[in-house]
Coordinates of all heavy atoms in Angstrom, one line a residue:
M1 N 207.2 93.0 -97.7 CA 206.7 91.8 -98.4 C 207.9 91.3 -99.3 O 208.5 92.1 -100.1 CB 205.5 92.1 -99.2 CG 205.0 91.0 -100.1 SD 203.5 91.3 -100.9 CE 202.4 90.8 -99.8
P2 N 208.2 90.1 -99.3 CA 209.3 89.6 -100.2 C 208.8 89.7 -101.7 O 207.7 89.6 -102.0 CB 209.5 88.1 -99.7 CG 208.3 87.7 -99.1 CD 207.7 89.1 -98.5
W3 N 209.9 89.7 -102.6 CA 209.6 89.8 -104.0 C 208.8 88.7 -104.5 O 207.9 88.7 -105.5 CB 211.0 89.9 -104.8 CG 211.8 88.7 -104.7 CD1 212.7 88.4 -103.8 CD2 211.7 87.6 -105.6 NE1 213.2 87.0 -104.0 CE2 212.7 86.6 -105.2 CE3 210.9 87.2 -106.7 CZ2 212.9 85.4 -105.7 CZ3 211.2 86.0 -107.2 CH2 212.1 85.1 -106.9
W4 N 208.9 87.5 -104.0 CA 208.3 86.3 -104.4 C 206.8 86.4 -104.1 O 205.8 85.9 -104.8 CB 208.7 84.9 -104.0 CG 208.9 84.8 -102.5 CD1 210.0 85.1 -101.7 CD2 207.9 84.4 -101.7 NE1 209.7 85.0 -100.3 CE2 208.4 84.4 -100.2 CE3 206.5 84.0 -101.7 CZ2 207.7 84.2 -99.1 CZ3 205.8 83.6 -100.6 CH2 206.3 83.6 -99.3
G5 N 206.5 87.2 -103.0 CA 205.0 87.3 -102.7 C 204.3 88.3 -103.7 O 203.2 88.1 -104.0
I6 N 205.0 89.3 -104.1 CA 204.5 90.2 -105.2 C 204.3 89.4 -106.4 O 203.1 89.6 -107.1 CB 205.5 91.5 -105.3 CG1 205.6 92.2 -103.9 CG2 205.0 92.3 -106.5 CD1 206.7 93.2 -103.9
V7 N 205.3 88.7 -106.8 CA 205.1 87.9 -108.1 C 203.9 86.9 -107.9 O 203.1 86.8 -108.9 CB 206.4 87.1 -108.4 CG1 206.3 86.2 -109.5 CG2 207.6 88.2 -108.7
L8 N 203.8 86.3 -106.8 CA 202.7 85.4 -106.6 C 201.4 86.1 -106.6 O 200.4 85.6 -107.4 CB 202.8 84.7 -105.2 CG 201.8 83.6 -104.8 CD1 202.0 82.4 -105.7 CD2 202.0 83.2 -103.5
I9 N 201.2 87.3 -106.1 CA 200.0 88.0 -106.2 C 199.7 88.5 -107.7 O 198.6 88.3 -108.1 CB 200.0 89.3 -105.3 CG1 200.0 88.9 -103.8 CG2 198.9 90.2 -105.6 CD1 200.3 90.0 -102.8
L10 N 200.7 88.9 -108.3 CA 200.5 89.3 -109.7 C 200.2 88.2 -110.7 O 199.2 88.4 -111.5 CB 201.7 90.2 -110.3 CG 202.0 91.5 -109.5 CD1 203.3 92.1 -110.1 CD2 200.8 92.4 -109.8
S11 N 200.8 87.1 -110.5 CA 200.5 85.9 -111.2 C 199.1 85.4 -111.0 O 198.3 84.9 -111.9 CB 201.5 84.9 -111.2 OG 201.7 84.4 -109.8
G12 N 198.7 85.4 -109.7 CA 197.4 85.0 -109.4 C 196.3 85.9 -109.9 O 195.2 85.5 -110.4
C13 N 196.6 87.1 -110.0 CA 195.6 88.1 -110.6 C 195.5 87.8 -112.0 O 194.5 87.9 -112.7 CB 196.0 89.6 -110.3 SG 195.8 90.1 -108.6
L14 N 196.7 87.4 -112.7 CA 196.7 87.3 -114.2 C 195.9 86.0 -114.5 O 195.0 86.1 -115.4 CB 198.1 87.1 -114.7 CG 198.2 86.7 -116.1 CD1 197.8 87.9 -116.9 CD2 199.6 86.4 -116.4
I15 N 196.0 84.9 -113.7 CA 195.2 83.8 -113.8 C 193.8 84.0 -113.6 O 192.8 83.6 -114.3 CB 195.7 82.7 -112.9 CG1 197.2 82.3 -113.4 CG2 194.9 81.5 -112.8 CD1 197.8 81.3 -112.5
L16 N 193.4 84.7 -112.5 CA 192.0 85.0 -112.2 C 191.5 86.0 -113.3 O 190.3 85.6 -113.8 CB 191.9 85.9 -110.9 CG 190.6 86.3 -110.5 CD1 189.7 85.2 -110.2 CD2 190.6 87.3 -109.3
F17 N 192.1 86.9 -113.8 CA 191.5 87.8 -114.9 C 191.5 87.1 -116.3 O 190.5 87.2 -117.0 CB 192.3 89.1 -115.1 CG 192.3 90.0 -113.9 CD1 193.3 90.9 -113.8 CD2 191.2 90.0 -113.0 CE1 193.3 91.8 -112.7 CE2 191.1 90.9 -112.0 CZ 192.2 91.8 -111.8
G18 N 192.4 86.1 -116.4 CA 192.3 85.2 -117.6 C 191.2 84.4 -117.7 O 190.5 84.2 -118.6
A19 N 190.9 83.8 -116.4 CA 189.8 82.9 -116.3 C 188.4 83.7 -116.4 O 187.5 83.2 -117.1 CB 189.8 82.2 -114.9
L20 N 188.4 84.9 -116.0 CA 187.1 85.7 -116.2 C 186.9 86.0 -117.6 O 185.8 86.0 -118.1 CB 187.2 87.0 -115.4 CG 187.1 86.9 -113.8 CD1 187.4 88.1 -113.2 CD2 185.8 86.4 -113.5
H21 N 188.1 86.4 -118.4 CA 187.9 86.6 -119.7 C 187.5 85.3 -120.5 O 186.8 85.5 -121.5 CB 189.2 87.3 -120.3 CG 189.4 88.7 -120.0 ND1 188.6 89.7 -120.4 CD2 190.3 89.3 -119.2 CE1 189.1 90.8 -120.0 NE2 190.1 90.7 -119.1
F22 N 188.2 84.2 -120.1 CA 187.8 83.0 -120.7 C 186.4 82.6 -120.7 O 185.7 82.2 -121.6 CB 188.6 81.9 -120.3 CG 188.4 80.5 -120.8 CD1 188.9 80.1 -122.1 CD2 187.7 79.5 -120.1 CE1 188.6 79.0 -122.6 CE2 187.4 78.3 -120.5 CZ 187.8 78.0 -121.9
F23 N 185.8 82.6 -119.5 CA 184.4 82.3 -119.2 C 183.4 83.3 -119.8 O 182.3 83.0 -120.0 CB 184.2 82.1 -117.8 CG 184.8 80.8 -117.2 CD1 185.7 80.8 -116.1 CD2 184.6 79.6 -117.8 CE1 186.3 79.8 -115.7 CE2 185.2 78.4 -117.4 CZ 186.1 78.6 -116.3
S24 N 183.9 84.5 -120.1 CA 182.9 85.6 -120.7 C 183.0 85.3 -122.2 O 182.3 86.0 -122.9 CB 183.4 86.9 -120.3 OG 184.6 87.3 -120.9
G25 N 183.7 84.4 -122.8 CA 183.8 84.1 -124.2 C 184.7 85.0 -125.0 O 184.5 85.1 -126.3
K26 N 185.6 85.7 -124.4 CA 186.6 86.6 -125.2 C 187.6 85.7 -125.8 O 188.0 84.7 -125.4 CB 187.2 87.6 -124.2 CG 186.3 88.4 -123.4 CD 185.8 89.5 -124.2 CE 184.8 90.3 -123.1 NZ 184.4 91.5 -123.6
K27 N 188.1 86.3 -127.0 CA 189.3 85.6 -127.6 C 190.5 86.1 -127.0 O 190.7 87.2 -126.5 CB 189.3 86.0 -129.2 CG 188.3 85.5 -129.9 CD 188.5 85.9 -131.3 CE 187.3 85.3 -132.2 NZ 187.6 85.7 -133.6
H28 N 191.4 85.2 -126.9 CA 192.8 85.3 -126.3 C 192.6 85.9 -124.8 O 193.0 87.1 -124.5 CB 193.6 86.4 -127.0 CG 193.7 86.0 -128.5 ND1 194.4 85.0 -129.0 CD2 193.2 86.6 -129.7 CE1 194.3 84.9 -130.3 NE2 193.5 85.9 -130.6
P29 N 192.1 85.2 -124.0 CA 191.8 85.6 -122.6 C 193.1 86.1 -121.7 O 193.0 87.2 -121.1 CB 191.1 84.4 -121.9 CG 191.5 83.3 -122.7 CD 191.8 83.7 -124.0
F30 N 194.1 85.4 -121.8 CA 195.2 85.8 -121.0 C 196.0 86.9 -121.6 O 196.6 87.8 -120.8 CB 196.3 84.6 -120.8 CG 195.7 83.6 -119.9 CD1 195.2 82.3 -120.5 CD2 195.6 83.8 -118.5 CE1 194.5 81.5 -119.6 CE2 195.1 82.8 -117.8 CZ 194.6 81.6 -118.3
K31 N 196.0 87.1 -123.0 CA 196.5 88.3 -123.5 C 195.6 89.6 -123.1 O 196.2 90.6 -122.8 CB 196.5 88.1 -125.0 CG 197.0 89.3 -125.8 CD 197.0 88.9 -127.3 CE 197.5 90.1 -128.1 NZ 197.4 89.8 -129.6
R32 N 194.4 89.4 -123.2 CA 193.5 90.6 -122.7 C 193.7 90.8 -121.2 O 193.7 92.0 -120.8 CB 192.0 90.2 -123.0 CG 191.7 90.2 -124.4 CD 190.3 89.9 -124.7 NE 189.4 90.9 -124.2 CZ 188.9 91.9 -124.9 NH1 189.2 92.0 -126.2 NH2 188.1 92.8 -124.3
A33 N 193.9 89.8 -120.4 CA 194.1 90.1 -119.0 C 195.4 90.8 -118.7 O 195.5 91.8 -117.9 CB 194.1 88.7 -118.1
L34 N 196.4 90.3 -119.4 CA 197.8 91.0 -119.2 C 197.7 92.4 -119.7 O 198.3 93.3 -119.1 CB 198.8 90.2 -120.0 CG 200.3 90.7 -119.9 CD1 200.7 90.6 -118.5 CD2 201.2 89.9 -120.8
L35 N 197.0 92.7 -120.8 CA 196.8 94.1 -121.4 C 196.1 94.9 -120.4 O 196.5 96.1 -120.2 CB 196.1 94.0 -122.7 CG 195.9 95.4 -123.5 CD1 197.3 95.8 -123.8 CD2 195.1 95.1 -124.6
S36 N 195.1 94.5 -119.8 CA 194.4 95.3 -118.8 C 195.2 95.5 -117.6 O 195.2 96.7 -117.0 CB 193.1 94.6 -118.4 OG 193.3 93.5 -117.6
M37 N 196.1 94.7 -117.2 CA 196.9 94.9 -116.0 C 198.1 95.9 -116.5 O 198.3 96.8 -115.7 CB 197.6 93.6 -115.5 CG 196.6 92.6 -114.9 SD 197.3 91.0 -114.5 CE 198.3 91.4 -113.2
V38 N 198.5 95.8 -117.6 CA 199.6 96.7 -118.0 C 199.0 98.2 -118.2 O 199.7 99.2 -117.9 CB 200.2 96.3 -119.5 CG1 201.1 97.3 -120.0 CG2 201.1 95.0 -119.2
I39 N 197.8 98.2 -118.8 CA 197.1 99.5 -118.9 C 196.9 100.2 -117.5 O 197.1 101.4 -117.4 CB 195.7 99.4 -119.7 CG1 196.1 99.1 -121.1 CG2 194.9 100.6 -119.5 CD1 194.8 98.8 -122.0
G40 N 196.6 99.4 -116.6 CA 196.5 100.0 -115.2 C 197.8 100.6 -114.6 O 197.8 101.7 -114.1
A41 N 198.9 99.8 -114.9 CA 200.1 100.4 -114.4 C 200.6 101.6 -115.3 O 201.2 102.6 -114.8 CB 201.2 99.3 -114.6
L42 N 200.3 101.6 -116.6 CA 200.7 102.7 -117.4 C 199.9 104.0 -117.1 O 200.4 105.1 -117.2 CB 200.5 102.4 -118.9 CG 201.5 101.4 -119.5 CD1 201.1 101.1 -120.9 CD2 202.9 102.0 -119.4
T43 N 198.6 103.7 -116.5 CA 197.8 104.8 -116.2 C 198.4 105.5 -114.9 O 198.4 106.8 -114.8 CB 196.3 104.4 -115.8 OG1 195.8 103.7 -117.0 CG2 195.5 105.6 -115.4
L44 N 199.0 104.7 -113.9 CA 199.5 105.3 -112.7 C 200.8 106.0 -113.2 O 201.0 107.2 -112.6 CB 199.9 104.1 -111.8 CG 200.6 104.5 -110.5 CD1 199.8 105.3 -109.7 CD2 201.2 103.3 -109.8
I45 N 201.6 105.5 -114.1 CA 202.8 106.1 -114.6 C 202.3 107.5 -115.2 O 203.0 108.6 -115.1 CB 203.6 105.3 -115.6 CG1 204.2 104.2 -114.8 CG2 204.6 106.1 -116.3 CD1 204.7 103.1 -115.8
A46 N 201.3 107.5 -116.1 CA 200.9 108.8 -116.8 C 200.4 109.7 -115.8 O 200.7 111.0 -116.0 CB 199.7 108.5 -117.7
V47 N 199.8 109.4 -114.7 CA 199.3 110.3 -113.7 C 200.4 111.0 -113.0 O 200.4 112.2 -112.8 CB 198.3 109.7 -112.7 CG1 198.2 110.5 -111.5 CG2 197.1 109.3 -113.2
N48 N 201.5 110.2 -112.7 CA 202.7 110.7 -112.0 C 203.5 111.6 -112.9 O 204.1 112.5 -112.5 CB 203.4 109.7 -111.3 CG 202.8 109.0 -110.1 OD1 202.1 109.8 -109.4 ND2 203.1 107.8 -109.8
L49 N 203.5 111.3 -114.2 CA 204.3 112.1 -115.1 C 203.6 113.4 -115.4 O 204.3 114.4 -115.7 CB 204.5 111.4 -116.5 CG 205.6 110.2 -116.4 CD1 205.5 109.6 -117.9 CD2 206.8 110.8 -116.1
S50 N 202.2 113.5 -115.3 CA 201.5 114.8 -115.5 C 201.3 115.5 -114.3 O 200.6 116.5 -114.2 CB 200.2 114.4 -116.2 OG 199.4 113.7 -115.4
S51 N 202.0 115.2 -113.2 CA 201.8 115.8 -111.9 C 202.2 117.2 -111.9 O 201.9 118.0 -111.1 CB 202.5 115.0 -110.8 OG 203.8 115.0 -110.9
G52 N 203.2 117.6 -112.8 CA 203.8 118.8 -112.9 C 202.7 119.9 -113.4 O 202.8 121.0 -113.0
F53 N 201.8 119.4 -114.3 CA 200.8 120.2 -114.8 C 199.5 120.2 -113.9 O 198.8 121.3 -113.8 CB 200.3 119.7 -116.2 CG 201.5 119.7 -117.1 CD1 202.0 118.5 -117.6 CD2 202.0 120.9 -117.6 CE1 203.1 118.6 -118.5 CE2 203.0 121.0 -118.5 CZ 203.7 119.7 -118.9
T54 N 199.2 119.1 -113.3 CA 197.9 119.0 -112.6 C 198.1 119.2 -111.0 O 197.0 119.2 -110.4 CB 197.4 117.6 -112.8 OG1 198.2 116.5 -112.4 CG2 197.0 117.4 -114.4
N55 N 199.3 119.0 -110.5 CA 199.5 119.2 -109.1 C 198.9 118.0 -108.3 O 198.5 118.1 -107.2 CB 199.1 120.5 -108.5 CG 200.0 121.6 -109.1 OD1 201.2 121.5 -109.2 ND2 199.3 122.8 -109.2
V56 N 198.6 116.9 -109.0 CA 198.0 115.7 -108.3 C 199.2 114.6 -108.5 O 199.5 114.3 -109.6 CB 196.7 115.2 -109.1 CG1 196.2 114.0 -108.4 CG2 195.7 116.4 -108.8
Y57 N 199.5 114.0 -107.5 CA 200.5 113.0 -107.3 C 200.1 111.8 -106.5 O 199.5 112.0 -105.4 CB 201.8 113.6 -106.8 CG 203.0 112.6 -106.7 CD1 203.7 112.3 -107.9 CD2 203.3 112.2 -105.6 CE1 204.7 111.4 -107.8 CE2 204.4 111.3 -105.5 CZ 205.1 110.9 -106.5 OH 206.2 110.1 -106.6
I58 N 200.3 110.6 -107.0 CA 200.1 109.4 -106.3 C 201.4 108.8 -105.9 O 202.0 108.4 -106.8 CB 199.2 108.4 -107.1 CG1 197.8 108.9 -107.5 CG2 199.1 107.1 -106.3 CD1 197.0 108.1 -108.3
P59 N 201.7 108.7 -104.7 CA 203.0 108.1 -104.3 C 203.0 106.7 -104.7 O 202.1 105.9 -104.6 CB 203.0 108.3 -102.8 CG 201.9 109.2 -102.4 CD 201.0 109.1 -103.5
V60 N 204.2 106.3 -105.4 CA 204.4 105.0 -105.8 C 204.9 104.1 -104.6 O 205.9 104.2 -104.0 CB 205.4 105.0 -106.9 CG1 205.6 103.5 -107.4 CG2 204.9 105.7 -108.1
S61 N 204.0 103.1 -104.2 CA 204.3 102.2 -103.2 C 203.8 100.8 -103.6 O 203.1 100.7 -104.7 CB 203.7 102.6 -101.8 OG 202.3 102.5 -102.0
L62 N 204.0 99.8 -102.9 CA 203.6 98.5 -103.2 C 202.0 98.5 -103.2 O 201.4 98.0 -104.3 CB 204.0 97.5 -102.1 CG 203.4 96.1 -102.3 CD1 204.0 95.5 -103.6 CD2 203.9 95.2 -101.1
L63 N 201.3 99.1 -102.4 CA 199.9 99.3 -102.3 C 199.4 99.9 -103.6 O 198.3 99.5 -104.2 CB 199.4 99.9 -101.1 CG 197.8 100.0 -100.9 CD1 197.2 98.6 -100.8 CD2 197.5 100.9 -99.8
S64 N 199.9 101.1 -104.0 CA 199.4 101.8 -105.1 C 199.6 101.1 -106.3 O 198.8 101.0 -107.3 CB 200.0 103.2 -105.2 OG 201.3 103.1 -105.4
V65 N 200.8 100.3 -106.5 CA 201.1 99.6 -107.8 C 200.2 98.4 -107.8 O 199.6 98.1 -108.9 CB 202.5 99.1 -107.7 CG1 202.8 98.1 -108.9 CG2 203.5 100.3 -107.9
L66 N 199.9 97.7 -106.7 CA 198.9 96.6 -106.8 C 197.5 97.1 -107.0 O 196.7 96.5 -107.8 CB 198.9 95.8 -105.3 CG 200.2 95.0 -105.2 CD1 200.1 94.3 -103.8 CD2 200.2 93.9 -106.2
V67 N 197.1 98.2 -106.5 CA 195.7 98.7 -106.8 C 195.6 99.1 -108.4 O 194.6 98.9 -108.9 CB 195.4 99.9 -105.9 CG1 194.1 100.7 -106.4 CG2 195.2 99.4 -104.5
S68 N 196.7 99.7 -108.8 CA 196.7 100.1 -110.2 C 196.6 98.8 -111.1 O 196.0 98.9 -112.1 CB 197.7 101.1 -110.6 OG 199.0 100.3 -110.5
V69 N 197.4 97.9 -110.8 CA 197.5 96.6 -111.7 C 196.1 95.8 -111.5 O 195.7 95.3 -112.5 CB 198.7 95.7 -111.3 CG1 198.6 94.4 -112.0 CG2 200.0 96.5 -111.7
I70 N 195.7 95.6 -110.3 CA 194.5 94.9 -110.1 C 193.3 95.7 -110.5 O 192.3 95.1 -111.1 CB 194.4 94.4 -108.7 CG1 195.6 93.5 -108.3 CG2 193.1 93.7 -108.3 CD1 195.8 93.1 -106.9
G71 N 193.2 96.9 -110.1 CA 192.0 97.7 -110.4 C 191.9 98.3 -111.8 O 190.9 98.7 -112.3
G72 N 193.1 98.4 -112.4 CA 193.2 99.1 -113.7 C 192.9 100.5 -113.6 O 193.2 101.2 -112.7
V73 N 192.3 101.1 -114.7 CA 191.9 102.5 -114.7 C 190.9 102.9 -113.7 O 191.1 104.0 -113.0 CB 191.4 102.9 -116.1 CG1 190.9 104.3 -116.2 CG2 192.5 102.6 -117.2
P74 N 189.9 102.1 -113.3 CA 189.1 102.6 -112.3 C 189.8 102.6 -110.9 O 189.5 103.4 -110.0 CB 188.0 101.4 -112.2 CG 187.9 100.9 -113.6 CD 189.4 101.1 -114.1
G75 N 190.8 101.7 -110.7 CA 191.6 101.6 -109.4 C 192.4 103.0 -109.3 O 192.5 103.5 -108.3
V76 N 193.1 103.4 -110.4 CA 193.8 104.7 -110.4 C 192.9 105.8 -110.2 O 193.3 106.8 -109.5 CB 194.6 104.7 -111.7 CG1 195.3 106.1 -111.7 CG2 195.7 103.6 -111.8
T77 N 191.7 105.7 -110.8 CA 190.7 106.9 -110.7 C 190.3 107.0 -109.2 O 190.2 108.1 -108.7 CB 189.6 106.7 -111.6 OG1 190.0 106.5 -113.0 CG2 188.6 107.9 -111.4
L78 N 190.1 105.9 -108.6 CA 189.7 105.9 -107.1 C 190.8 106.5 -106.3 O 190.6 107.3 -105.4 CB 189.4 104.5 -106.7 CG 189.1 104.2 -105.3 CD1 187.7 105.0 -104.9 CD2 188.9 102.8 -104.9
M79 N 192.1 106.1 -106.5 CA 193.2 106.7 -105.8 C 193.3 108.2 -106.0 O 193.6 108.9 -105.1 CB 194.5 105.9 -106.2 CG 194.6 104.6 -105.6 SD 196.3 103.9 -105.8 CE 196.4 103.7 -107.5
L80 N 193.0 108.6 -107.2 CA 193.0 110.1 -107.6 C 192.1 110.8 -106.7 O 192.1 111.9 -106.2 CB 192.8 110.3 -109.0 CG 194.1 110.2 -109.9 CD1 193.7 110.3 -111.4 CD2 195.1 111.3 -109.6
V81 N 190.8 110.2 -106.7 CA 189.6 110.9 -106.0 C 190.0 110.9 -104.6 O 189.8 111.9 -103.9 CB 188.4 110.2 -106.3 CG1 187.2 110.6 -105.4 CG2 187.9 110.4 -107.8
L82 N 190.4 109.9 -104.0 CA 190.8 109.8 -102.6 C 191.9 110.8 -102.3 O 192.0 111.5 -101.1 CB 191.2 108.3 -102.1 CG 190.1 107.4 -102.1 CD1 190.6 106.0 -101.8 CD2 189.0 107.8 -101.1
N83 N 193.0 110.9 -103.2 CA 194.1 111.8 -103.0 C 193.5 113.2 -103.1 O 194.0 114.1 -102.2 CB 195.1 111.6 -104.1 CG 196.4 112.3 -103.7 OD1 196.5 112.8 -102.7 ND2 197.3 112.3 -104.7
I84 N 192.6 113.6 -103.9 CA 192.2 115.0 -104.1 C 191.3 115.4 -102.8 O 191.5 116.5 -102.2 CB 191.3 115.1 -105.3 CG1 192.3 115.1 -106.5 CG2 190.5 116.5 -105.3 CD1 191.6 114.9 -107.8
F85 N 190.4 114.4 -102.3 CA 189.5 114.8 -101.2 C 190.1 114.6 -99.9 O 189.8 115.3 -98.9 CB 188.3 114.0 -101.3 CG 187.4 114.5 -102.5 CD1 187.1 113.6 -103.4 CD2 186.9 115.9 -102.6 CE1 186.2 114.1 -104.5 CE2 186.2 116.3 -103.6 CZ 185.8 115.4 -104.6
F86 N 191.2 113.8 -99.7 CA 191.7 113.5 -98.4 C 193.1 113.9 -98.4 O 194.0 113.6 -97.9 CB 191.5 112.1 -97.9 CG 190.0 111.8 -97.8 CD1 189.4 110.9 -98.6 CD2 189.3 112.3 -96.7 CE1 188.1 110.6 -98.4 CE2 188.0 111.9 -96.6 CZ 187.4 111.1 -97.5

């Protein structure tokens, strides 16, 4: 996938999440949407950094980054559960 496709997907998710936060009546909707996307990416990084202690590792690929950014903490948790059982 070209780099502009990734940027397009991430910006579309930011707009979608910002609209969801706006219609739910939250203050600063796009700031909250960006924060939730960053927290998802940081969760993926934290899981991979702690892999020496836990022996659980999520390979970093385009799919795993998109799932962590779009799904946030629940997306990373889902990838962890799937990694443990399969």
